[in-house]
Amino acid sequence: MLTYSAVLAEGSNAALVTFTIYTLAVFGLAALSNQLLKSKSFLSEYFLGSRSLGVWAFALTFAATSSSGGSFTGFPSKIYTHGWILALWIGSYMVVPICTMGMLGKRLNQVARLSGSITVPDVLRDRFNSQRFGLMAVVLIVFFMSFNLVAQFKAGALILKVLLKDVDLFHSVSASAGQWTAGIDFLGNDPGYLVCLLFFGVAVIVYTTYGGFHAVVWTDVMQGIVMVIGVLILLPLALNAAGGLENATKELAKMTPPRRGLATVHIDEPMSQPLQVTRETWLRMQRDEAGSERVFRVAQPFSIDADVRDVHAVELLEITTPAEVSRIIAGDVPAEFDARLAVSEFQGSDENFGVVTVDTTAGSIPAVFHRGDVVVVDTKDGKRSFVVAVDTPVEAGGKIALTVTEPTTVPAAGTTIEATATKLSIKSVSYKYGADKPGVYVTGPGPSPNNDVGFLAFSIAVSFFFMWAISGAGQPSNMVRLMAFKDSKTLKRSIFTVAVYYTAIYLPLVFIFVCARVIMPGMEAEPDRIMPEIAVYLTNNVGAAWLGGLLIAAPFAAVMSTVDSFLLMISSAMVRDIYQRNMNPEAEEKTMKYLSYLCTMLVGSIAMVVAINPPDFLQDIIVYVGSGLAACFLAPVVFMLYWPRATETGCIAGMMSGFGAHFGMYLTGMFVNGSFFRPFQLFNFNPIIVGLFVSFLVTYLATRASAPPPEELVRKYFYRKTDKTNS
Amino acid sequence: MSSQPAPDREGYELDPVFVNSRREALAILLVWFVCMLWAVPVSYMLGYGRDVTPENVSTVMGIPTWTFWGILIPWLAADVATTWLCFVFIKDDDLGQAEDELPANEAVADGGNA
C-alpha cells in the first residue's frame, strides 16, 4: 500500500503531465487566435475579439475572469478554516451573474458600438467627448492594474510552487537554478519560486502577446470547463469519503478549532545525520496522568541536528477535538506519525508566541538570553512581557531575534530584562473566537483565529452582498467583456449559463470542503494546500491519479485567466488610449499591430521582473485594487449609461471622490489600526460601501450643479430619429 | 444650478435600447435587494449565536437548517428569477454595429444608429 506522501508524489507527477498538456493546448489556442488577427480589424480583434463573442465564449470568459485563483485556493482554504459560514460569505453569488452582466451589459455594449470604443477609457472619453476624462480613466486603470498584475504573477508562481512541491523534476530544476543564481541578490533566495515565476510568466506573456483577446477567451473557456468538471467529479467522491453530508455536518458540530503553540520535541535515539521534519509529519505526546492522548501536526518545518535529543521552540498545531484525535490515532484519516519523535512539552494553552526582535545597543542586554528569561519590551502599544523560549546568545551588532511566548498573565519567574522592540511577529495560540466551543463550524459567525467577533459578523455579511454583486459590476475587466458579446440574445443566454455554472461550482465547493474537514484534519498548518491534497487523495482512492492532476491544474488555470485579462487591459490602455487617441490618431494599422505586441510583451515582462522581489501585503493589494476600481468606475459608468443629464464634470467628480473616500478609509486605518491594509470600517462596513456611497452621491450632486451636457451627445446616446422622420 | 430651456427634440424619440436597459437594470437591482433581504437576515436569525452540539444540530438533507433556508433555497429562487429575467423580461434589442464591424465602404459616421 502506498504511503500518504507517496500518494501525493504520484498525484503531483500526474499534475506535471496535466500542466504540460494544458500549456501546449494554450499555445495551440494562441496560434489559432493569431490566424483571426490576420483577417479582421487588428485593434478591435486584438483587444476586443471583434465584438463577436458567442454564448459559450462570453459566458465562460466572464465566469473564469471573475473567479481568479482564489476560487480554487483561497475559497476552499476559507471553508476548511471557518466551516459552513462560508455559504453565507459566498451567498451573493446567487445574483452575481444577473447583476454583473445584466445591469450594465446591454447598454454598455450598445454605447461602445455607437462610439466605436474598444476599451473602457475609450467609452468614457467618447460618451462625454472628453479627452481628460479618458486620460484620467487610463491613469487609474494603469495604476490599479499594475499593482494587481504583479500580485497575480506572484500568486500564480506561488500556486505553481505549492502544486509542484512533490515533483522530483521540479526539485532538480530548482536546485540547478539555485546554483546559477547564487550570489545574485536581486534574484532572491528562493530558486523554486523563481523557476515557477519564470515558467508561469513566460507562458502567459507569450500566449497573450501572440494571440490577443481571443486567445485569452478560448483559454478561459478551456479553464472554465476544467473547473466545473473537476468540481462535479470531486463532489460525490468527497461525500462518499465523509460518510455523507449529514455525517460530515454532525462531525463538524463536534469540532473545536485547533491550537497553535511552541513545543519541545524529544528524540529517543539521536540521529546520525541531520533530519528535516516536514509539515506532513504528525507527532504524539505521551499519555498524561488522565490517560488522554494528544496529537500534533508540524506547523512549520524544522530540522534536527545529528546527536541532538531535544529540539525547542518547534511550531505545532494541536488537534483539540477528542473524536478527531481518536480517528487520527486509529488511522482512519491520512496522517503519518514519526515514531522516532515525541512531543515532551507544549506551550499552547493560554499564550501567544512568535519572534520579537530587540535592539541590543539600547539598555543593559546580557550576553545570553536564557530560556525562561522575561523580556519586557517597549512597543507602540506600550510595554509587553515575553518569556524567552530558546537560549539565544547575543552577537556583536544591533539586533537579535528571540523566539518567545507571551503569557496572558505577567510571569513571575526568570530574570527580567528591559529591551526595546524593533519588530514583533507574535501569533495567537488560541482562536480569538470559537476556541473550545463545539458547534462553531456549523453556525455563524464562524471561528476566527484573529478576530474576537468571529469570521463573519452581520455587518460584514451585508458588505459581502454588496461586494461581490454590486462592486463586481464596477470592475473594468468585467466591463470590457460586456463590450465584446455579439448581440442581446448572446447576453441573455450567457447570463443564464453563468448562473447555472456558479450554482454548479460554488455550492458544491462548500459541500466538498466541509467534507474535507472531516476527511483530512490538521490542514490549518497549510490551508492553501487543501484543494490539491484532497483532490489527490480522493482520486487516488478510486485509482484515477490523472484526474487528480486535472483538478490540481484548475487553480493554476484560474489565476492564468485572470492575469492574461489584466495584461491586455494595461496594454490596451497604453496603445489605444494613450498612443492612438492622444499622440498619433493617424497611426497605420501595421504600426499599431507591432506596438500592441511590443507593449503586451513589455508590460508582462516588467511585471514578471518586479514580481521577483514583490512588495509585501500582496493579497491585501489585490483586495484594495478590486474594491478601489469599483469605487472609482461604477458610479460614473452607471450615470453615463442611464442618465441623459450626466455630465463630464459630475462623472469626474464621482470618480475622484470614490477614489478619495475609499483611499481615505485605508489611510485612516493606518492611524487608527496601525496598518494601511487594515482599513477603517465606518459603522463596521467595508470601505467599498463607503466608496460607492460617496461616489454615487457626489456624481449626482456635481452633475446637478454643472451645466447640462451638449445636446448632440444626448441625442447620439439616448435618442434616435422617429420612424416618421426617417421616412 | 443653471436652468435652461428644454432642448427641442422634435423628430426624435428615446432610444428603446436605453429605455429597456434602464427598466431591466432596475428590475435586476430589485432582485438583488430581495435576495439580500432574504439570505442575510434568515441566515442570521437561524444560524447566529446558537449553542449547537452534535445531538441538537438541525439539518435538512445534511445541510445546516440556516444554510438550507438562508442560502440554498434563495439561491435556487434567484436562479429561477434569473431564468425568468433572461428569457421573458429582458428584451432582444438590436445593439447596432460599430464601424470596425462594417466593411470599409459601409461605415457610417454616426455609428449607424440614428
Side-chain angles (χ1 to χ4, degrees), chain A residues 44 51 84 87 102 106 110 113-114 245-246 249 254 438 442-444 456 458 465 488-489 492 496 503 507 642 704 711 714-715 718-722 725, chain B residues 1 7-9 11-13 15 17-18 24 28 32 40 47-48 52 54 59 62 64 66-67 75 79 83 86 90-93 95-96 98 100-101 113:
Chain A
S44 171
R51 305 171 205 275
W84 271 107
K106 199 158 78 175
Q110 184 210 18
R113 283 170 198 258
L114 273 172
L245 200 54
E246 182 80 36
T249 302
K254 296 177 192 167
V442 294
T443 54
L456 194 71
F458 179 77
F465 239 86
S488 297
K489 266 198 176 64
K492 290 161 49 173
F496 173 75
T503 308
L507 282 177
Y642 290 119
R704 280 282 173 212
E711 180 59 16
V714 177
R715 278 188 187 168
F718 291 89
Y719 288 85
R720 67 175 191 179
K721 287 178 182 163
T722 57
T725 314
Chain B
M1 246 183 263
D8 175 18
R9 289 177 187 143
Y12 285 86
E13 63 181 5
D15 185 340
V17 181
F18 160 60
E24 290 154 10
I28 290 168
W32 167 77
V40 182
Y48 274 61
V52 169
T59 61
W66 72 264
T67 315
W75 196 305
D79 281 349
T83 307
C86 286
I90 297 176
K91 294 265 188 294
D92 270 337
D93 288 308
L95 303 178
D100 54 49
E101 293 175 288
N113 185 57

Coordinates of all heavy atoms in Angstrom, one line a residue, chain A residues 44 51 84 87 102 106 110 113-114 245-246 249 254 438 442-444 456 458 465 488-489 492 496 503 507 642 704 711 714-715 718-722 725, chain B residues 1 7-9 11-13 15 17-18 24 28 32 40 47-48 52 54 59 62 64 66-67 75 79 83 86 90-93 95-96 98 100-101 113:
Chain A
S44 N -9.4 46.1 -32.9 CA -10.7 45.6 -32.4 C -10.6 44.1 -32.1 O -11.2 43.6 -31.1 CB -11.8 45.9 -33.4 OG -13.0 45.3 -33.1
R51 N -15.9 42.1 -31.2 CA -17.3 42.2 -30.6 C -18.1 41.0 -31.1 O -19.3 41.1 -31.4 CB -18.0 43.4 -31.1 CG -17.3 44.7 -30.8 CD -18.0 45.9 -31.4 NE -17.1 47.0 -31.7 CZ -16.8 47.9 -30.8 NH1 -17.4 47.9 -29.6 NH2 -15.9 48.9 -31.0
W84 N -19.2 26.1 7.7 CA -20.4 26.3 6.9 C -20.7 27.8 6.7 O -21.4 28.1 5.8 CB -21.6 25.7 7.6 CG -21.8 24.2 7.2 CD1 -21.6 23.1 8.0 CD2 -22.4 23.7 6.0 NE1 -21.9 22.0 7.3 CE2 -22.4 22.3 6.1 CE3 -22.8 24.3 4.8 CZ2 -22.9 21.5 5.1 CZ3 -23.2 23.5 3.8 CH2 -23.3 22.1 3.9
A87 N -20.9 29.6 3.3 CA -22.1 29.6 2.4 C -22.7 31.0 2.4 O -23.1 31.4 1.4 CB -23.1 28.5 2.9
G102 N -26.1 41.7 -16.3 CA -27.4 42.2 -16.7 C -27.6 43.7 -16.5 O -28.2 44.4 -17.3
K106 N -26.1 45.2 -21.6 CA -26.7 45.5 -22.9 C -26.4 47.0 -23.3 O -26.0 47.3 -24.4 CB -28.2 45.3 -22.9 CG -28.9 45.2 -24.2 CD -30.2 44.4 -24.1 CE -31.3 45.3 -23.6 NZ -32.6 44.7 -23.6
Q110 N -24.1 48.6 -26.3 CA -24.6 49.4 -27.3 C -23.8 50.8 -27.4 O -23.5 51.2 -28.5 CB -26.1 49.8 -27.0 CG -26.7 50.6 -28.1 CD -27.8 51.5 -27.5 OE1 -27.9 51.8 -26.4 NE2 -28.7 51.9 -28.4
R113 N -20.6 50.3 -29.1 CA -20.7 50.2 -30.6 C -21.0 51.6 -31.2 O -20.5 51.9 -32.2 CB -21.9 49.2 -30.9 CG -21.5 47.8 -30.8 CD -22.8 46.9 -30.9 NE -22.5 45.6 -30.3 CZ -22.2 44.5 -31.0 NH1 -22.2 44.6 -32.3 NH2 -21.9 43.4 -30.5
L114 N -21.9 52.3 -30.5 CA -22.2 53.7 -31.0 C -21.0 54.5 -31.2 O -20.8 55.3 -32.1 CB -23.2 54.4 -30.1 CG -24.6 54.1 -30.3 CD1 -25.4 54.7 -29.1 CD2 -25.1 54.8 -31.6
L245 N -23.3 13.9 3.7 CA -23.2 15.3 4.2 C -23.8 15.4 5.6 O -23.3 16.2 6.4 CB -24.1 16.2 3.2 CG -23.8 17.7 3.3 CD1 -22.3 18.0 3.0 CD2 -24.7 18.4 2.2
E246 N -24.8 14.6 5.9 CA -25.4 14.6 7.2 C -24.3 14.2 8.3 O -24.1 14.9 9.3 CB -26.5 13.5 7.3 CG -27.2 13.5 8.6 CD -28.3 14.6 8.8 OE1 -28.9 14.9 7.7 OE2 -28.4 15.1 9.9
T249 N -21.7 17.1 8.6 CA -22.2 18.2 9.4 C -22.2 17.8 10.9 O -21.8 18.7 11.8 CB -23.6 18.6 9.0 OG1 -23.5 18.9 7.6 CG2 -24.1 19.8 9.7
K254 N -19.1 18.6 16.3 CA -18.3 18.2 17.4 C -17.0 19.0 17.5 O -16.4 19.1 18.6 CB -17.9 16.7 17.3 CG -19.0 15.8 17.3 CD -18.4 14.4 17.1 CE -19.5 13.3 16.8 NZ -19.0 12.1 16.4
P438 N -17.6 23.8 20.8 CA -18.2 22.9 19.8 C -19.4 23.5 19.1 O -20.1 24.3 19.7 CB -18.7 21.6 20.6 CG -18.0 21.7 21.9 CD -17.7 23.2 22.2
V442 N -20.5 25.0 12.4 CA -21.8 24.9 11.7 C -22.7 26.1 12.0 O -23.9 26.1 11.5 CB -22.5 23.6 12.1 CG1 -21.8 22.4 11.6 CG2 -22.8 23.5 13.6
T443 N -22.2 27.1 12.7 CA -23.1 28.2 13.0 C -22.3 29.5 12.6 O -21.1 29.5 12.3 CB -23.4 28.3 14.5 OG1 -22.2 28.3 15.2 CG2 -24.3 27.2 14.9
G444 N -23.0 30.7 12.6 CA -22.4 32.0 12.5 C -21.9 32.5 13.8 O -22.4 32.0 14.8
L456 N -17.5 36.1 10.4 CA -18.4 36.9 9.5 C -19.5 37.5 10.4 O -20.6 37.0 10.5 CB -19.0 36.0 8.4 CG -19.7 36.7 7.3 CD1 -18.7 37.4 6.4 CD2 -20.5 35.7 6.5
F458 N -22.5 40.2 11.3 CA -23.7 40.6 10.5 C -23.4 41.7 9.4 O -23.7 41.6 8.3 CB -24.8 41.0 11.4 CG -26.1 41.3 10.6 CD1 -26.9 40.4 10.1 CD2 -26.4 42.7 10.5 CE1 -28.1 40.7 9.4 CE2 -27.6 43.0 9.8 CZ -28.4 42.0 9.2
F465 N -22.5 41.1 0.4 CA -23.6 41.0 -0.6 C -23.4 42.2 -1.5 O -23.7 42.1 -2.7 CB -24.9 41.1 0.1 CG -25.8 39.9 -0.2 CD1 -25.7 38.7 0.5 CD2 -26.6 39.9 -1.3 CE1 -26.4 37.6 0.1 CE2 -27.4 38.8 -1.7 CZ -27.3 37.7 -0.9
S488 N -27.9 40.9 -28.1 CA -28.7 40.7 -26.9 C -29.0 39.3 -26.5 O -29.0 38.9 -25.4 CB -30.1 41.4 -27.0 OG -29.9 42.8 -27.2
K489 N -29.3 38.5 -27.6 CA -29.6 37.0 -27.3 C -28.4 36.4 -26.6 O -28.6 35.6 -25.7 CB -29.9 36.3 -28.6 CG -31.3 36.2 -29.0 CD -31.5 35.2 -30.1 CE -33.0 35.0 -30.4 NZ -33.6 36.2 -31.0
K492 N -28.3 37.3 -22.9 CA -29.3 36.7 -22.1 C -29.0 35.2 -21.8 O -29.0 34.7 -20.7 CB -30.7 36.8 -22.8 CG -31.2 38.2 -22.8 CD -32.3 38.5 -23.8 CE -33.4 37.4 -23.8 NZ -34.5 37.8 -24.7
F496 N -27.8 33.3 -18.2 CA -28.4 32.1 -17.7 C -27.3 31.0 -17.5 O -27.2 30.3 -16.5 CB -29.4 31.6 -18.7 CG -30.0 30.2 -18.4 CD1 -30.9 30.0 -17.4 CD2 -29.6 29.1 -19.2 CE1 -31.4 28.8 -17.1 CE2 -30.1 27.9 -18.9 CZ -31.0 27.7 -17.9
T503 N -23.9 28.1 -9.8 CA -24.6 27.2 -8.9 C -23.9 25.9 -8.8 O -23.8 25.3 -7.8 CB -26.1 27.0 -9.4 OG1 -26.7 28.3 -9.6 CG2 -26.9 26.3 -8.4
L507 N -21.8 26.2 -4.6 CA -22.4 25.4 -3.5 C -21.7 24.1 -3.4 O -21.4 23.7 -2.2 CB -23.9 25.3 -3.8 CG -24.7 26.5 -3.5 CD1 -26.2 26.3 -3.8 CD2 -24.6 26.9 -2.0
Y642 N -27.2 55.6 -18.0 CA -28.6 55.6 -17.7 C -29.2 57.0 -17.4 O -30.4 57.1 -17.1 CB -28.9 54.7 -16.5 CG -28.7 53.2 -16.9 CD1 -27.8 52.4 -16.3 CD2 -29.5 52.7 -17.9 CE1 -27.7 51.1 -16.6 CE2 -29.3 51.3 -18.3 CZ -28.4 50.6 -17.6 OH -28.3 49.2 -18.0
R704 N -25.9 67.8 -11.0 CA -26.9 68.7 -10.9 C -26.4 70.2 -10.8 O -27.0 71.1 -11.3 CB -27.7 68.5 -9.6 CG -28.7 67.3 -9.7 CD -29.9 67.8 -10.4 NE -30.9 66.8 -10.7 CZ -31.7 66.8 -11.8 NH1 -31.6 67.7 -12.7 NH2 -32.5 65.8 -12.0
E711 N -26.2 69.0 -26.4 CA -27.4 68.4 -27.0 C -27.0 67.2 -27.9 O -27.7 66.2 -28.0 CB -28.3 69.4 -27.7 CG -29.6 68.8 -28.2 CD -30.5 68.1 -27.2 OE1 -30.3 68.3 -26.0 OE2 -31.4 67.4 -27.7
V714 N -26.4 64.1 -26.1 CA -27.6 63.5 -25.5 C -28.4 62.8 -26.7 O -28.8 61.6 -26.5 CB -28.5 64.5 -24.9 CG1 -29.8 63.9 -24.4 CG2 -27.7 65.2 -23.7
R715 N -28.5 63.4 -27.8 CA -29.2 62.8 -28.9 C -28.5 61.5 -29.4 O -29.1 60.5 -29.7 CB -29.3 63.8 -30.1 CG -30.4 64.8 -29.9 CD -30.6 65.6 -31.2 NE -31.5 66.7 -30.9 CZ -31.7 67.7 -31.7 NH1 -31.0 67.8 -32.8 NH2 -32.6 68.6 -31.5
F718 N -28.9 58.8 -26.4 CA -30.2 58.5 -25.7 C -31.4 58.6 -26.6 O -32.5 58.2 -26.2 CB -30.3 59.4 -24.5 CG -29.4 59.2 -23.4 CD1 -28.1 59.8 -23.4 CD2 -29.7 58.2 -22.4 CE1 -27.2 59.5 -22.4 CE2 -28.8 58.0 -21.4 CZ -27.5 58.6 -21.4
Y719 N -31.2 59.1 -27.8 CA -32.4 59.3 -28.7 C -32.1 58.7 -30.1 O -30.9 58.4 -30.4 CB -32.7 60.8 -28.8 CG -33.3 61.4 -27.6 CD1 -32.5 61.9 -26.6 CD2 -34.7 61.5 -27.5 CE1 -33.0 62.4 -25.4 CE2 -35.2 62.0 -26.3 CZ -34.4 62.5 -25.3 OH -34.9 63.0 -24.2
R720 N -33.2 58.5 -30.8 CA -33.0 58.1 -32.2 C -34.1 58.8 -33.0 O -35.1 59.2 -32.4 CB -33.1 56.6 -32.4 CG -34.5 56.1 -32.1 CD -34.5 54.6 -32.4 NE -35.9 54.1 -32.4 CZ -36.3 52.9 -32.7 NH1 -35.4 52.0 -33.0 NH2 -37.5 52.6 -32.6
K721 N -33.9 59.0 -34.3 CA -34.9 59.6 -35.1 C -36.1 58.8 -35.1 O -36.0 57.5 -35.2 CB -34.3 59.9 -36.5 CG -33.3 61.0 -36.5 CD -32.7 61.3 -37.9 CE -31.7 62.4 -37.8 NZ -30.8 62.4 -39.0
T722 N -37.3 59.4 -35.1 CA -38.5 58.6 -35.2 C -38.6 58.0 -36.6 O -38.1 58.5 -37.5 CB -39.8 59.5 -34.9 OG1 -39.7 60.6 -35.8 CG2 -39.7 60.1 -33.5
T725 N -39.7 60.6 -39.1 CA -38.6 61.4 -39.6 C -37.8 60.7 -40.6 O -37.4 61.2 -41.7 CB -37.7 61.9 -38.5 OG1 -38.5 62.3 -37.4 CG2 -36.8 63.0 -38.9
Chain B
M1 N -26.8 76.0 -9.7 CA -27.5 75.2 -10.7 C -28.1 76.1 -11.8 O -28.6 77.2 -11.5 CB -28.7 74.5 -10.0 CG -28.4 73.0 -10.0 SD -29.8 72.1 -9.3 CE -29.3 71.9 -7.6
P7 N -34.4 71.5 -24.5 CA -34.0 71.4 -25.8 C -35.1 70.9 -26.8 O -35.9 70.1 -26.3 CB -32.8 70.4 -25.8 CG -32.9 69.7 -24.5 CD -33.7 70.5 -23.6
D8 N -35.1 71.3 -28.0 CA -36.1 70.9 -29.0 C -35.7 69.5 -29.5 O -34.6 69.4 -30.2 CB -36.1 71.9 -30.1 CG -37.1 71.4 -31.2 OD1 -37.9 70.5 -30.9 OD2 -37.0 72.0 -32.3
R9 N -36.5 68.5 -29.2 CA -36.1 67.2 -29.7 C -37.2 66.6 -30.6 O -37.5 65.4 -30.6 CB -35.9 66.2 -28.6 CG -34.6 66.5 -27.8 CD -34.3 65.7 -26.7 NE -33.1 66.2 -26.0 CZ -33.0 66.2 -24.6 NH1 -33.9 65.7 -23.9 NH2 -31.9 66.6 -24.1
G11 N -39.0 65.2 -33.7 CA -38.4 64.2 -34.6 C -37.5 63.2 -34.0 O -37.0 62.3 -34.7
Y12 N -37.4 63.2 -32.7 CA -36.6 62.2 -32.0 C -37.4 61.5 -30.9 O -38.3 62.1 -30.4 CB -35.4 62.8 -31.3 CG -34.3 63.2 -32.3 CD1 -34.3 64.5 -32.9 CD2 -33.2 62.4 -32.5 CE1 -33.3 64.8 -33.8 CE2 -32.2 62.7 -33.4 CZ -32.2 63.9 -34.0 OH -31.2 64.3 -34.9
E13 N -37.1 60.3 -30.6 CA -37.7 59.6 -29.5 C -36.6 58.9 -28.7 O -35.5 58.7 -29.2 CB -38.7 58.5 -30.0 CG -38.0 57.5 -30.9 CD -39.0 56.4 -31.4 OE1 -40.2 56.6 -31.2 OE2 -38.5 55.4 -32.0
D15 N -34.3 56.3 -27.2 CA -33.8 55.1 -27.8 C -34.4 53.9 -27.0 O -34.2 53.8 -25.8 CB -32.2 55.1 -27.7 CG -31.6 53.9 -28.3 OD1 -32.3 52.9 -28.5 OD2 -30.4 54.0 -28.6
V17 N -33.4 50.9 -26.7 CA -32.4 50.1 -26.0 C -32.1 50.7 -24.7 O -32.0 50.1 -23.6 CB -31.1 50.0 -26.8 CG1 -30.1 49.2 -26.1 CG2 -31.4 49.5 -28.2
F18 N -32.0 52.1 -24.6 CA -31.8 52.8 -23.4 C -33.0 52.6 -22.4 O -32.8 52.2 -21.2 CB -31.6 54.3 -23.7 CG -31.8 55.2 -22.5 CD1 -31.1 55.0 -21.3 CD2 -32.8 56.2 -22.5 CE1 -31.3 55.9 -20.2 CE2 -33.1 57.0 -21.5 CZ -32.3 56.8 -20.3
E24 N -34.8 47.2 -17.2 CA -34.2 45.9 -16.8 C -33.2 46.0 -15.6 O -33.2 45.2 -14.7 CB -33.5 45.2 -18.0 CG -34.5 44.8 -19.1 CD -34.0 44.7 -20.5 OE1 -32.8 44.9 -20.7 OE2 -34.8 44.6 -21.4
I28 N -33.4 44.2 -12.0 CA -32.3 43.3 -11.5 C -31.8 43.8 -10.1 O -31.6 43.0 -9.2 CB -31.1 43.4 -12.5 CG1 -31.4 42.6 -13.8 CG2 -29.8 42.8 -11.9 CD1 -30.5 42.9 -14.9
W32 N -31.7 41.7 -6.6 CA -30.5 41.7 -5.7 C -31.0 42.0 -4.3 O -30.6 41.4 -3.3 CB -29.5 42.7 -6.2 CG -28.4 42.9 -5.2 CD1 -27.4 42.1 -4.9 CD2 -28.3 44.1 -4.3 NE1 -26.6 42.7 -3.9 CE2 -27.2 43.9 -3.5 CE3 -29.1 45.2 -4.2 CZ2 -26.8 44.9 -2.6 CZ3 -28.7 46.2 -3.2 CH2 -27.6 46.0 -2.5
V40 N -29.5 37.2 4.1 CA -28.7 37.6 5.3 C -29.5 37.6 6.6 O -29.1 36.9 7.6 CB -28.1 39.0 5.1 CG1 -27.2 39.5 6.3 CG2 -27.2 39.1 3.9
G47 N -29.0 31.0 12.2 CA -27.7 30.4 12.4 C -26.7 31.1 13.3 O -25.7 30.5 13.6
Y48 N -27.0 32.3 13.8 CA -26.1 33.0 14.6 C -26.4 32.9 16.1 O -27.5 32.8 16.5 CB -26.0 34.5 14.2 CG -25.1 34.8 13.1 CD1 -25.3 34.3 11.8 CD2 -24.0 35.7 13.2 CE1 -24.5 34.6 10.8 CE2 -23.2 36.0 12.2 CZ -23.4 35.4 10.9 OH -22.6 35.7 9.9
V52 N -24.7 24.9 19.6 CA -25.0 23.7 18.8 C -24.1 22.6 19.3 O -23.0 22.7 19.6 CB -24.8 24.0 17.3 CG1 -24.9 22.6 16.5 CG2 -25.9 24.9 16.8
P54 N -23.6 18.1 18.6 CA -23.9 17.0 17.6 C -25.3 16.5 17.8 O -26.0 16.1 16.9 CB -22.9 16.0 17.8 CG -21.8 16.6 18.6 CD -22.4 17.7 19.3
T59 N -30.5 19.9 10.8 CA -30.1 19.9 9.4 C -31.3 19.5 8.5 O -32.3 19.0 8.9 CB -29.1 18.8 9.1 OG1 -29.6 17.5 9.5 CG2 -27.8 19.1 9.9
G62 N -28.8 17.0 5.3 CA -27.4 17.1 5.7 C -26.8 18.5 5.8 O -25.7 18.7 6.2
P64 N -26.9 22.4 7.3 CA -27.5 23.0 8.5 C -28.8 23.8 8.1 O -28.8 24.4 7.0 CB -26.4 24.0 8.9 CG -25.1 23.4 8.4 CD -25.5 22.7 7.1
W66 N -30.0 26.6 8.8 CA -29.9 28.0 8.4 C -29.3 28.2 7.0 O -29.7 29.0 6.2 CB -29.0 28.8 9.4 CG -27.5 28.5 9.4 CD1 -26.9 27.6 10.2 CD2 -26.5 29.0 8.5 NE1 -25.5 27.6 9.9 CE2 -25.3 28.4 8.8 CE3 -26.6 30.0 7.4 CZ2 -24.1 28.8 8.2 CZ3 -25.4 30.3 6.8 CH2 -24.2 29.7 7.2
T67 N -28.4 27.2 6.6 CA -27.8 27.3 5.3 C -28.9 26.9 4.2 O -29.0 27.5 3.1 CB -26.6 26.3 5.2 OG1 -25.8 26.5 6.3 CG2 -25.8 26.6 3.9
W75 N -30.9 30.8 -3.2 CA -30.1 30.6 -4.4 C -30.9 30.0 -5.6 O -30.8 30.5 -6.7 CB -28.9 29.7 -4.0 CG -27.7 29.8 -5.0 CD1 -27.8 29.6 -6.4 CD2 -26.4 30.1 -4.7 NE1 -26.5 29.7 -6.9 CE2 -25.7 30.1 -6.0 CE3 -25.7 30.4 -3.6 CZ2 -24.3 30.3 -6.0 CZ3 -24.3 30.6 -3.7 CH2 -23.6 30.6 -4.9
D79 N -32.0 31.7 -9.1 CA -31.8 31.1 -10.4 C -33.1 31.1 -11.2 O -33.0 31.4 -12.4 CB -31.3 29.6 -10.3 CG -29.8 29.5 -9.9 OD1 -29.1 30.6 -10.0 OD2 -29.3 28.4 -9.6
T83 N -33.6 33.1 -14.6 CA -34.1 32.5 -15.9 C -35.2 33.3 -16.4 O -35.3 33.6 -17.6 CB -34.5 31.1 -15.5 OG1 -33.5 30.4 -14.9 CG2 -34.9 30.3 -16.8
C86 N -34.0 36.5 -17.9 CA -33.3 36.3 -19.2 C -34.2 36.0 -20.4 O -34.0 36.5 -21.5 CB -32.3 35.2 -19.0 SG -30.8 35.7 -18.1
I90 N -36.1 40.5 -20.2 CA -35.1 41.2 -20.9 C -35.4 41.2 -22.4 O -35.5 40.1 -23.0 CB -33.7 40.8 -20.6 CG1 -33.4 41.0 -19.1 CG2 -32.6 41.5 -21.4 CD1 -32.0 40.5 -18.6
K91 N -35.4 42.3 -23.1 CA -35.8 42.4 -24.5 C -34.6 42.1 -25.4 O -33.5 42.4 -25.1 CB -36.3 43.8 -24.8 CG -37.6 44.2 -24.1 CD -38.8 43.9 -25.0 CE -40.1 44.4 -24.5 NZ -40.6 43.8 -23.2
D92 N -35.0 41.5 -26.6 CA -34.0 41.3 -27.6 C -33.7 42.5 -28.4 O -34.2 42.6 -29.5 CB -34.5 40.2 -28.5 CG -34.0 38.8 -28.0 OD1 -33.1 38.7 -27.3 OD2 -34.7 37.8 -28.4
D93 N -33.0 43.5 -27.9 CA -32.8 44.7 -28.6 C -31.7 44.6 -29.6 O -30.7 43.9 -29.4 CB -32.5 45.8 -27.6 CG -33.7 46.2 -26.8 OD1 -34.7 46.5 -27.4 OD2 -33.6 46.2 -25.5
L95 N -28.5 46.0 -31.0 CA -27.5 46.8 -30.4 C -26.7 47.6 -31.4 O -25.7 48.3 -31.1 CB -26.5 46.0 -29.5 CG -27.2 45.2 -28.4 CD1 -26.2 44.3 -27.6 CD2 -27.9 46.1 -27.5
G96 N -27.0 47.5 -32.7 CA -26.3 48.3 -33.7 C -25.0 47.6 -34.1 O -24.7 46.5 -33.6
A98 N -20.8 48.6 -34.8 CA -19.7 49.6 -34.8 C -19.0 49.7 -36.1 O -19.2 48.8 -37.0 CB -18.7 49.1 -33.7
D100 N -16.0 49.3 -36.8 CA -15.0 48.3 -37.0 C -15.6 47.0 -37.4 O -14.9 46.0 -37.8 CB -14.1 48.1 -35.8 CG -14.8 47.9 -34.5 OD1 -15.7 47.0 -34.6 OD2 -14.6 48.6 -33.5
E101 N -16.9 46.8 -37.3 CA -17.6 45.6 -37.8 C -18.1 45.7 -39.2 O -18.4 44.6 -39.8 CB -18.8 45.3 -36.9 CG -18.5 45.1 -35.4 CD -19.8 44.9 -34.6 OE1 -20.5 45.9 -34.4 OE2 -20.1 43.8 -34.2
N113 N -26.8 54.4 -36.0 CA -27.9 54.2 -35.1 C -29.1 55.2 -35.5 O -30.2 54.7 -35.6 CB -27.5 54.6 -33.7 CG -28.6 54.3 -32.7 OD1 -29.1 53.3 -32.7 ND2 -28.9 55.4 -32.0

